[in-house]
Amino acid sequence: MENSSHTLPHSCPSPATIRGPLPLSSSPQHTSSNGPISLPLSPISFPPSPSSFSPATAESVHSCSPLSHFTVSHCLEGQSVADQDDLTCLSWLHQRGDLLPLQPLTKMTPLPQQEPSMASQLLPAALSKPPYSFSSLIFMAIEDSPQKRLPVKDIYEWIVNNFPYYRTATGGWRNSVRHNLSLSKSFRRIQRDKSQSVGKGSLWCVCPEYRPALLEVLRKTHSYHSNNSNLLHKPALLEGESYKMPAECDSMEISGQDLHTGPDPLSHTLFLSTADSPILAENPLCLLTPDHEELVTMESVEYQQEEVCEDMEKDPLSDSGYIELHYYESQQYQYLVLPDDTELDLETVEILQLDAEAQEAAGSLLDLAGGGY
DNA sequence: ACGACGATAAACAGGC
DNA sequence: CGCCTGTTTATCGTCG
């Protein structure tokens, strides 16, 4: 897949079906009432430099980083923050200081070096015990890694970096992390590539079949601890309902009839799948539909190839548990290309601020497919 | 009361 | 030998 500029197609040429509950959300920071939105980054850089953002924008970046691979800079007018909250991008975790401190993934400044006033503001939330279970913490750490696999040491580090509580906590929690990794079926130990072996121990990854459950637990934890009760009432597709992709994408349909998670209005998780077995997307997707001013956010999308694609070459990744995603940049926008060169209507779909990790993750898909899970 | 689940502690083995 | 990693067992608290 080339990474150069493309002429924008004006239709959705390849039929594909996206099934599952449909979350509609966006971030409130940047409003656009008509036409393509204006992006705060021009040109878009990967990763975006925090210094290039206005304070409000920088906050939005923090609110999505590190967990979200896509930061959305678009607003639905008339919607509250709660309505726009995205439960599938994991970005919502950063929208409350007492859940996930608004700090970048990179090494945080040690608290003693912070200004006293700021430290005093952060302390109550930052140093309180996070409500997340160790499974959730491990899950977030692994999900936030480019390769979707981490050694236990890096899991420690991620937790410490994102939850300062554990910076001062006694060492017992590390034991709990290891205990959880070993005991939980959700995590799988994989051997390091000996050619690149640096450090001790194995790598840990999330079992794809348990990922929806982990995500659900994570989301419920957030909902429970969030005052944002509106999150609980976001409309979602129910069984039998369907959502037509807007614009010219007539063949894109999201339906609720084959929901893996049932008609629970809380369910916003979509799954990527090939025709036979559901598989999971590598990264959350945030799809923008400028014509309708709607942001379609998909944690993962069940993706089915229809008969039309039968004679197409089989995607080498089709059985890997992951789907290969590509994007490219044209002018100030970025565009998503689904597997088998299915180009979503690129006027209708935009990816905003896809960060460098997503790029790496896309590259790692080949490794995952080749090395097995 | 009961079981499921999660947190915590501890012991132990193996590798570096 | 010390540390890290990984496994296993046990105990306790919470919740439905």
Side-chain angles (χ1 to χ4, degrees), chain A residues 61-258:
Chain A
V61 169
H62 282 186
S63 71
C64 286
S65 173
L67 290 174
S68 172
H69 293 276
F70 298 82
T71 301
V72 178
S73 306
H74 182 55
C75 178
L76 292 180
E77 287 185 345
Q79 284 197 326
S80 66
V81 173
D83 293 334
Q84 300 158 19
D85 198 359
D86 174 21
L87 293 178
T88 61
C89 274
L90 299 182
S91 59
W92 45 270
L93 287 172
H94 298 264
Q95 295 181 355
R96 284 177 55 92
D98 57 343
L99 292 176
L100 191 57
L102 300 178
Q103 293 167 346
L105 180 60
T106 54
K107 300 284 187 182
M108 293 189 303
T109 305
L111 286 176
Q113 297 179 13
Q114 293 175 336
E115 292 184 13
S117 59
M118 180 182 297
S120 62
Q121 291 175 350
L122 293 177
L123 276 176
L127 294 185
S128 60
K129 192 173 187 297
Y132 304 106
S133 68
F134 283 110
S135 294
S136 294
L137 293 175
I138 295 168
F139 171 61
M140 287 188 281
I142 295 174
E143 284 292 297
D144 197 45
S145 66
Q147 306 287 331
K148 299 295 180 287
R149 51 180 75 177
L150 282 180
V152 66
K153 185 180 179 180
D154 288 353
I155 295 175
Y156 296 156
E157 186 176 347
W158 187 94
I159 292 174
V160 166
N161 284 343
N162 290 279
F163 297 94
Y165 165 83
Y166 291 105
R167 202 178 301 167
T168 55
T170 57
W173 67 272
R174 290 182 171 85
N175 191 8
S176 297
V177 168
R178 295 196 307 274
H179 166 81
N180 220 287
L181 285 169
S182 290
L183 217 62
S184 175
K185 297 177 181 177
S186 305
F187 307 111
R188 191 177 302 172
R189 189 165 62 92
I190 54 180
Q191 295 297 325
R192 288 180 189 257
D193 183 357
K194 292 182 178 180
S195 64
Q196 300 175 348
S197 180
V198 177
K200 292 198 297 183
S202 308
L203 297 173
W204 293 89
C205 64
V206 177
C207 295
E209 60 267 33
Y210 288 96
R211 190 177 181 276
L214 288 167
L215 200 61
E216 183 73 6
V217 169
L218 198 58
R219 187 173 51 75
K220 284 184 176 177
T221 303
H222 172 73
S223 296
Y224 181 81
H225 291 274
S226 172
N227 293 328
N228 205 343
S229 60
N230 287 340
L231 295 177
L232 302 178
H233 305 295
K234 285 179 66 178
L237 289 179
L238 301 181
E239 194 159 339
E241 293 180 341
S242 64
Y243 174 81
K244 282 279 187 180
M245 291 291 285
E248 304 84 2
C249 263
D250 291 335
S251 57
M252 298 294 295
E253 181 176 1
I254 296 176
S255 69
Q257 58 186 3
D258 291 327

Side-chain angles (χ1 to χ4, degrees), chain A residues 334-354:
Chain A
Q334 302 157 20
Y335 304 98
L336 174 68
V337 181
L338 285 178
D340 69 350
D341 286 341
T342 297
E343 292 182 321
L344 296 180
D345 185 332
L346 297 182
E347 270 193 334
T348 334
V349 179
E350 299 179 37
I351 301 174
L352 304 178
Q353 298 178 13
L354 176 62

